[in-house]
Amino acid sequence: MRATNWVGDAVMSIPALRALRGRFPDAEIFILARPWVADLYRREPFCNRLIAFTARGLASKWRAARELRPLGFDCAILFQNAFEAAAIAFVAGIPERIGYARDGRSPLLTCAVPTPRAHEIPRHERYYYLELLHRARILDKVPDSDLIRLDGATAAREAGVQRFRQAALGDIVIGVSPGAAYGSAKRWLPERFAEAANRVARELGASVAVFGSKDERELCASVTAAVAAPSRNFAGETSLAEFIELAAACRVYLTNDSGAMHIASALGVPTIAVFGATDDAATGPTGPLARVVREPVECSPCLKRECPIDHRCMTRVEAARVAQAALDLLK
């Protein structure tokens, strides 16, 4: 299976991978994934082996594809939509190559599946991956699944608890992710993240862990500095595997629409997600322990990277509302 390149998309493909394992319980399922998403699958029972895809240039990608040949794969299922994914499976000599008919790659596929049109399938993106298996006749029907979960959550949580103790943050920790890779339009105000975290921390007697990429270090530092409770800025300090463990150990998680949101929710952590520019019906967290906070404004969801006006979808969301949503969820 060729994994997607974005963490959020990779999480939303998990129901399809679980369904694939259910359909073929004895199959060896290898997942070819970029290093920054590979650890998402490491503890999951649907994955027999991970293959890190590190190739960059054309020559490197050609070599990587040729190196797959001796493994003797029977079938490649391409969750990644790119032409490259089909080309690598073709060069690797995999006899069955299944993927959506996109990006001009149909001639390289043995089963080029028509891309679902709007309103043909439920809006949430997890159904996009499930429908690929359905239309390829791997699944008789799309399972009615409203929950994305990581089976490795318990083991991850145990490891994360120890990491938090070593960091002197104690056993009750609030996770905060104030960043978002897609663009600033998805970001709630950092000072309001701090204000909401402060209120929840006071109620729970908790500490606060702030997470982000190395490029978000300064943003996360501003949030950490405004938190009155014991806190630490982990931005740029954790691998994906380490982040999964720490997120799993959080009592509650406050976040924008981001990869961190998808992971926290899939781990079964109570998750409050602030949405504005994006559509929570399509890419929101799932399950009974997830809540979306958004302000209905006439221009949202716009799906823009940067807000061209006054960012009203985010500035009208008050910190008290997010904090209360977290406390209500914990009840």
Side-chain angles (χ1 to χ4, degrees), residues 125-144:
E125 192 169 339
R126 68 188 184 277
Y127 291 105
Y128 178 80
Y129 303 105
L130 286 163
E131 186 66 18
L132 174 64
L133 302 183
H134 179 224
R135 293 190 176 201
R137 299 184 179 179
I138 294 171
L139 299 180
D140 293 332
K141 63 177 183 178
V142 173
D144 184 18

Side-chain angles (χ1 to χ4, degrees), residues 110-238:
T110 57
C111 179
V113 176
T115 304
R117 297 177 182 176
H119 311 302
E120 283 186 344
I121 61 175
R123 290 176 63 192
H124 198 275
E125 192 169 339
R126 68 188 184 277
Y127 291 105
Y128 178 80
Y129 303 105
L130 286 163
E131 186 66 18
L132 174 64
L133 302 183
H134 179 224
R135 293 190 176 201
R137 299 184 179 179
I138 294 171
L139 299 180
D140 293 332
K141 63 177 183 178
V142 173
D144 184 18
S145 169
D146 64 349
L147 180 65
I148 300 174
R149 69 180 187 275
L150 288 164
D151 284 330
T154 299
R157 186 175 300 113
E158 292 171 357
V161 166
Q162 294 304 315
R163 288 184 181 276
F164 278 142
R165 288 174 179 170
Q166 291 168 5
L169 290 178
D171 291 340
I172 305 176
V173 182
I174 300 163
V176 178
S177 282
Y182 183 75
S184 65
K186 292 172 67 173
R187 294 179 183 172
W188 193 39
L189 284 66
E191 61 270 22
R192 294 191 188 173
F193 268 116
E195 185 180 345
N198 274 328
R199 178 175 173 185
V200 178
R202 284 195 302 270
E203 292 287 337
L204 300 182
S207 57
V208 177
V210 184
F211 299 99
S213 68
K214 63 180 180 180
D215 293 334
E216 294 166 342
R217 181 77 183 174
E218 186 175 342
L219 168 68
C220 293
S222 70
V223 174
T224 307
V227 170
S231 60
R232 177 168 168 180
N233 179 7
F234 285 94
E237 296 183 3
T238 62

Side-chain angles (χ1 to χ4, degrees), residues 12-96:
M12 288 186 284
S13 73
I14 286 173
L17 284 162
R18 292 172 61 86
L20 189 65
R21 170 57 77 204
R23 177 67 178 82
F24 300 106
D26 299 321
E28 281 194 90
I29 299 177
F30 286 53
I31 298 180
L32 181 69
R34 287 293 186 182
W36 54 84
V37 300
D39 281 331
L40 182 68
Y41 307 112
R42 198 169 299 280
R43 289 189 173 98
E44 299 309 300
F46 54 68
C47 177
N48 291 104
R49 179 177 162 187
L50 281 168
I51 302 175
F53 184 61
T54 58
R56 292 291 185 179
L58 183 60
S60 177
K61 291 174 182 177
W62 176 269
R63 287 193 299 271
R66 298 289 295 181
E67 288 169 1
L68 294 175
R69 273 184 172 265
L71 296 176
F73 293 116
D74 299 306
C75 177
I77 297 175
L78 310 178
F79 284 167
Q80 188 196 22
N81 291 317
F83 180 89
E84 171 195 286
I88 287 170
F90 179 83
V91 173
I94 301 173
E96 293 291 330

